[in-house]
Amino acid sequence: MSNKSFALSEDWVVVILGLTIIILALSGVIIPKPSFTWANVEDLSAKVLSLENLKSIGAQFALVYVTAIAGALLLGKNLKSLLIVFPIVMILTVFALILAGNESVKNYNLEAVIFSLAIGLIISNCFKLPQWFKDALSTELYVKIGLVLLGTTVIFGDILKAGMLGLVQALLVVVSVWYFAYWVCRKLKIDKEMSLMLSSAVSICGVSAAIATSGAIKGDSKKLSYVISLVLITAIPMMIFMPYIAEWLNLSQEVTGAWLGGSIDTTGAVVASGSLVGERALEISTIVKFSQNVLLGIAAFFISVYWSYSKSVDDETKKDKPTLKLIWERFPKFVIGFVFVSLLFSFVVTPEANAMVKDSLKSIQGLWFALAFTSIGLETNFKDLFKQDNKKPLYAFLIAQTFNIIVTLIIAMVLFNS
């Protein structure tokens, strides 16, 4: 069962779905925030597993399930597998939330997204999941809906302040890291197509940049899949360990957020790592990552220009001249949703209305992020890194990523160390 006659781009669907959830809340459809906090078995039974709390969890499930179905319909995707897979992802995610809610676990500052990711990774690397199951996972959709909802907690003045600094950082990082990564790739005699996709993935915004670059140059799908595997798998240790390195270096939340947002490749991993540090770090890391995302369309345009006139491409590819339209096509539209929601809650929504919906929307936002990381775990297999005989792209990626981490840290300390 699918709907192929009508489909929107994923980013616009995200904006529609995120705004619908917010409008429902502001209209009075407020789902109580479930509690996952417990200290012992008695607490677990009396609080988390109480009938009232289970009702709240069930209400959240109903909301996100219907939203996911609506998203699939708007995107023209197959519904049959989603109807089966999504409840499984939700059950695994709730289990992760319960584990993270234990007071002993909280003492180690381990967020639910870590458990979501770990559960998904254990399952995907110990069992062979069917392709139809993986195809039903919509990681990017869940992350982006959560990011639109994040706009309800970010004051617009913060966006302007951090956004200007973030844009400066993004320009410096993207240009320096992209050229370094491309130079390393060419030194290792990696072909131009793979070099362009890999350099964009490291320097701009991971999976989205790799896909945009592949689209701009009509890249090979197998090479694109390999680059995406590199991005997803290397993002996991960065997401987990960088917050602790930042704490060891005694970095402020602002500097840490800018460092995480500028160096971790996937938006979801940025959100998860920022959450481990604190709310301010989460805000800054998200805004900085958005600044890099905004450059995606411009980068895809210039890569198209280069590729169209490169001597290594065929005449048919050269006929597809890049236009300014390409910038708009590659521009991440969900950023518009985030900014609009921030404006709405900064200048339109009254403090009283905000107080009524704040806890509910923040809880739903966290649930979307947790669902996304369960999905990332389920679709990630470490064997993917070692499928190819040629390991040079892996070496180039790791060298470029190390350079990225160091350069971004230095720039973040200069710009955000107020």
Side-chain angles (χ1 to χ4, degrees):
M1 180 167 51
S2 62
N3 176 18
K4 303 228 179 240
S5 61
F6 174 76
L8 293 169
S9 72
E10 184 177 88
D11 279 2
W12 282 124
V13 168
V14 164
V15 174
I16 293 168
L17 297 177
L19 287 177
T20 300
I21 293 172
I22 292 168
I23 290 169
L24 285 173
L26 292 173
S27 301
V29 184
I30 301 172
I31 297 174
K33 176 184 176 182
S35 173
F36 293 100
T37 302
W38 58 284
N40 48 49
V41 177
E42 290 77 15
D43 258 0
L44 180 63
S45 177
K47 296 178 182 178
V48 179
L49 301 180
S50 69
L51 181 60
E52 198 63 32
N53 202 57
L54 289 176
K55 284 181 180 178
S56 297
I57 295 173
Q60 280 197 340
F61 169 67
L63 176 65
V64 294
Y65 197 22
V66 170
T67 303
I69 292 170
L73 288 171
L74 290 171
L75 289 168
K77 290 187 175 181
N78 187 286
L79 274 181
K80 185 177 179 181
S81 54
L82 173 69
L83 294 174
I84 300 169
V85 171
F86 192 89
I88 296 172
V89 175
M90 180 69 183
I91 291 169
L92 295 175
T93 302
V94 169
F95 182 57
L97 289 165
I98 292 173
L99 288 177
N102 180 265
E103 289 186 0
S104 298
V105 171
K106 284 186 175 182
N107 291 334
Y108 292 97
N109 199 29
L110 296 175
E111 294 288 331
V113 288
I114 297 294
F115 290 96
S116 297
L117 180 65
I119 290 169
L121 285 172
I122 290 168
I123 293 172
S124 67
N125 285 275
C126 293
F127 304 95
K128 184 174 176 58
L129 296 175
Q131 191 58 46
W132 65 265
F133 187 99
K134 291 186 176 182
D135 290 342
L137 300 170
S138 300
T139 302
E140 288 286 319
L141 183 78
Y142 306 156
V143 169
K144 289 174 182 177
I145 293 173
L147 289 170
V148 171
L149 295 179
L150 180 63
T152 63
T153 64
V154 179
I155 304 303
F156 191 67
D158 293 338
I159 295 180
L160 292 178
K161 182 181 176 183
M164 290 301 295
L165 294 175
L167 192 58
V168 173
Q169 174 177 305
L171 284 168
L172 294 173
V173 168
V174 167
V175 172
S176 59
V177 175
W178 194 95
Y179 276 102
F180 178 81
Y182 190 75
W183 176 79
V184 169
C185 287
R186 301 306 289 157
K187 283 292 182 182
L188 292 175
K189 299 188 181 343
I190 298 170
D191 65 85
K192 281 188 177 182
E193 192 176 319
M194 175 69 88
S195 298
L196 286 169
M197 285 190 282
L198 191 148
S199 301
S200 297
V202 174
S203 62
I204 307 175
C205 52
V207 173
S208 299
I211 293 172
T213 301
S214 178
I217 65 175
K218 296 187 176 180
D220 182 88
S221 60
K222 290 182 179 179
K223 293 178 182 178
L224 174 62
S225 296
Y226 185 69
V227 172
I228 289 174
S229 296
L230 287 174
V231 170
L232 292 176
I233 293 172
T234 55
I236 292 168
M238 291 174 67
M239 176 193 80
I240 295 172
F241 294 113
M242 285 180 65
Y244 296 104
I245 294 172
E247 183 179 2
W248 178 69
L249 293 173
N250 198 28
L251 301 179
S252 67
Q253 286 210 21
E254 287 79 6
V255 173
T256 302
W259 185 35
L260 298 175
S263 55
I264 298 179
D265 292 323
T266 65
T267 305
V270 168
V271 170
S273 58
S275 300
L276 292 176
V277 180
E279 288 195 15
R280 183 60 177 159
L282 173 60
E283 289 178 11
I284 297 295
S285 64
T286 302
I287 294 169
V288 168
K289 178 52 66 179
F290 280 177
S291 298
Q292 286 186 318
N293 288 340
V294 167
L295 295 176
L296 178 56
I298 299 171
F301 174 78
F302 282 109
I303 288 169
S304 296
V305 172
Y306 166 77
W307 194 250
S308 293
Y309 293 97
S310 172
K311 293 179 181 179
S312 63
V313 301
D314 56 36
D315 292 335
E316 184 179 349
T317 304
K318 287 183 181 180
K319 291 177 184 177
D320 298 327
K321 299 301 180 185
T323 64
L324 290 174
K325 182 182 177 184
L326 184 64
I327 295 179
W328 174 245
E329 289 176 350
R330 302 300 181 194
F331 183 86
K333 314 299 189 303
F334 72 94
V335 175
I336 297 173
F338 171 84
V339 173
F340 176 79
V341 170
S342 178
L343 284 168
L344 186 69
F345 276 74
S346 296
F347 303 112
V348 179
V349 175
T350 64
E352 293 78 16
N354 191 4
M356 287 178 59
V357 303
K358 180 174 62 176
D359 289 343
S360 175
L361 289 177
K362 188 171 182 181
S363 178
I364 294 168
Q365 167 207 310
L367 177 58
W368 280 116
F369 289 149
L371 287 166
F373 272 83
T374 303
S375 301
I376 287 176
L378 289 170
E379 66 186 4
T380 302
N381 195 307
F382 292 114
K383 293 178 184 176
D384 292 340
L385 280 180
F386 305 101
K387 279 183 178 177
Q388 288 196 2
D389 294 331
N390 184 5
K391 300 296 190 300
K392 287 183 179 180
L394 171 61
Y395 303 148
F397 191 90
L398 294 176
I399 292 169
Q401 193 62 275
T402 302
F403 178 81
N404 181 22
I405 290 170
I406 295 170
V407 167
T408 306
L409 175 59
I410 293 170
I411 295 173
M413 291 178 71
V414 172
L415 293 176
F416 288 86
N417 199 9
S418 56

